[in-house]
Amino acid sequence: MSTRRRNTKRAAEDTSFTASGRGKRENLFPRRMFAIALAIAGTVGMFVYIRLFSPPCAMFEPGSVPYIVDGQVEVLQWTPDMPFAETVAATEKPVVLKNTIADTWRARKSWKPWYLKKKIKRLSGIYENVNRWFGPYYDIRRPLVSVTQPVNFYETNRSMTGSELFQRILSQDSNRFVYFSGEIERLGDWALDDITPFNELLALNPHSSSINVWIGQPHVIAHCHYDGYHNMYVQLYGKKKFTLFRPSQWSNLYPYPFLHPSHAQSQANLSDVDVERFPRVQQAHAVEAVLIPGDVLYIPPLWFHHVEALEVSISVNVWTDSVQSVEVQEMYEADIPILDGILAEKQELRVLVMVSLIKRLIDETNKRQVRFSP
């Protein structure tokens, strides 16, 4: 699923207005009219886009996957005392590392269902669904929430004891699926100690990172999506399959528009694509990686990934702010001169301006991508 990044700064809505005299207020009138017209045009345009070009994602039983698999993600043998974060990030492509510092963690040996079942007292934020697909995630804070609706309804805040959670996971009940994704601190104060030392996973930006835990039963799927962050993903128990697409494949994956509540996620269910609605998925090129315990997968910013647990799976990952994500955040918070003195219209116009700038960032990232050779 698009599992969205925690502990990030939320852009605050600026609704301040300061008038400094009648003359200035009168001069602002044309700007306000222009801003209102542009905001209305942008909203109407996005509404039409959603209705005409963003059909709902069908949820089907598993079937064929028509995209093109070019090969496997490169695997590198490492040594636990050797830094790796800057080396793999410089490649700008996914890499699987074996024999890293993660192999020295206590969690590498102890994080099995029987251990976590006893250690976790109670856990909230557990997802539960009648099917195995978790996603597309639906963010009710996005601007177009009033003209859209989720395409896959599931519980997002179930609370269970560790015993209840793993009883559900190990029962292999095909009628209900559970999945947890959340900050490692939510497991308990002991959890961070079990993955020490973890500094290398945060090395790209130690002051702007988050450590998260992923727990799921066999065959649950995280919907195809991309993140604006560096992702260091450590598999601790079970096997998990990643299907990854470089950012230049975005047009073949039909991502939802920026203002949509399911932004950054594919409209197509890649487990069984409706090729009549999403024909270009058949032209998408992917690479794959099946992770086993001890593997560390690096996923660069803006790479799409579709993830399936092949067995009962327990993982830890670190998201670290990338240059792109920091620039996007700065753009969102920056003052836009033409919007001075505008109330409700300021937020909509800020979003519209940022959409254009984000597209430029993605285009520049695509130009710098190292060409992948399977």
Side-chain angles (χ1 to χ4, degrees):
M1 54 171 280
S2 174
T3 54
R4 315 310 304 153
R5 184 182 186 278
R6 289 99 179 158
N7 300 332
T8 55
K9 296 178 181 177
R10 302 297 183 190
E13 191 174 73
D14 184 353
T15 56
S16 61
F17 172 65
T18 302
S20 58
R22 175 179 295 181
K24 186 172 183 179
R25 218 179 265 186
E26 291 175 351
N27 291 335
L28 280 175
F29 182 76
R31 290 195 212 173
R32 289 189 202 166
M33 293 300 99
F34 172 76
I36 293 171
L38 186 56
I40 293 174
T43 302
V44 172
M46 277 296 180
F47 177 80
V48 172
Y49 179 93
I50 294 295
R51 293 303 186 190
L52 296 182
F53 302 108
S54 299
C57 171
M59 291 294 162
F60 302 105
E61 288 303 311
S64 61
V65 286
Y67 48 81
I68 302 164
V69 178
D70 290 332
Q72 301 299 306
V73 172
E74 182 180 8
V75 178
L76 299 177
Q77 295 294 332
W78 221 251
T79 57
D81 60 346
M82 187 175 177
F84 59 83
E86 291 187 2
T87 300
V88 296
T91 70
E92 297 186 338
K93 66 180 182 181
V95 177
V96 173
L97 299 176
K98 292 181 179 291
N99 195 30
T100 68
I101 191 66
D103 275 317
T104 69
W105 293 351
R106 181 188 308 158
R108 174 69 177 81
K109 295 181 179 179
S110 64
W111 277 32
K112 295 176 173 57
W114 64 266
Y115 176 82
L116 295 183
K117 178 180 178 179
K118 294 180 180 179
K119 295 290 287 186
I120 297 173
K121 303 306 180 184
R122 177 163 290 277
L123 194 58
S124 60
I126 297 170
Y127 304 141
E128 184 176 22
N129 200 2
V130 296
N131 63 54
R132 66 195 186 105
W133 291 281
F134 288 87
Y137 177 80
Y138 192 82
D139 186 350
I140 61 173
R141 296 165 300 187
R142 305 294 288 187
L144 289 182
V145 67
S146 62
V147 293
T148 62
Q149 60 182 1
V151 298
N152 185 22
F153 294 90
Y154 53 90
E155 297 286 339
T156 59
N157 195 27
R158 293 295 307 274
S159 177
M160 300 181 189
T161 64
S163 179
E164 292 169 336
L165 173 62
F166 281 97
Q167 182 178 359
R168 291 286 304 277
I169 287 175
L170 297 172
S171 70
Q172 298 184 0
D173 182 358
S174 60
N175 295 317
R176 302 291 294 182
F177 292 85
V178 292
Y179 183 66
F180 174 75
S181 167
E183 300 91 338
I184 193 169
E185 295 86 354
R186 290 161 64 179
L187 271 63
D189 295 338
W190 52 269
L192 271 178
D193 291 336
D194 280 2
I195 65 164
T196 301
F198 52 78
N199 291 345
E200 182 57 28
L201 277 72
L202 282 62
L204 295 176
N205 194 340
H207 302 293
S208 187
S209 298
S210 66
I211 305 176
N212 310 281
V213 174
W214 309 77
I215 303 172
Q217 65 198 83
H219 310 302
V220 297
I221 290 176
H223 194 80
C224 182
H225 67 283
Y226 68 87
D227 303 301
Y229 314 99
H230 298 282
N231 188 349
M232 300 288 183
Y233 198 97
V234 184
Q235 189 67 14
L236 294 174
Y237 182 85
K239 295 181 180 179
K240 184 169 280 189
K241 179 181 179 180
F242 282 75
T243 304
L244 301 111
F245 305 82
R246 63 173 56 252
S248 59
Q249 295 294 308
W250 71 270
S251 63
N252 295 327
L253 296 173
Y254 300 87
Y256 284 97
F258 179 77
L259 301 183
H260 195 282
S262 294
H263 162 64
Q265 299 167 90
S266 173
Q267 297 175 55
N269 174 10
L270 296 192
S271 296
D272 193 351
V273 180
D274 184 342
V275 295
E276 292 187 0
R277 288 183 171 182
F278 310 109
R280 291 195 304 276
V281 171
Q282 298 172 96
Q283 303 170 28
H285 288 256
V287 291
E288 294 181 338
V290 175
L291 303 187
I292 62 174
D295 286 351
V296 177
L297 170 64
Y298 168 66
I299 304 176
L302 306 180
W303 276 69
F304 289 84
H305 44 288
H306 173 265
V307 189
E308 179 179 1
L310 303 180
E311 303 171 349
V312 174
S313 178
I314 302 170
S315 318
V316 167
N317 93 300
V318 171
W319 276 311
T320 301
D321 277 338
S322 65
V323 172
Q324 293 93 336
S325 64
V326 171
E327 288 179 349
V328 167
Q329 183 68 31
E330 289 175 350
M331 285 189 296
Y332 196 94
E333 295 175 345
D335 290 331
I336 302 175
I338 194 173
L339 302 183
D340 287 345
I342 298 174
L343 292 171
E345 296 79 21
K346 184 169 185 177
Q347 183 76 351
E348 283 79 358
L349 273 179
R350 188 186 300 279
V351 171
L352 291 173
V353 171
M354 192 169 69
V355 168
S356 174
L357 296 175
I358 288 173
K359 183 179 183 303
R360 290 177 58 189
L361 272 177
I362 293 176
D363 289 342
E364 288 300 315
T365 299
N366 287 337
K367 292 177 183 177
R368 293 188 290 106
Q369 285 290 334
V370 176
R371 186 172 182 81
F372 178 77
S373 299

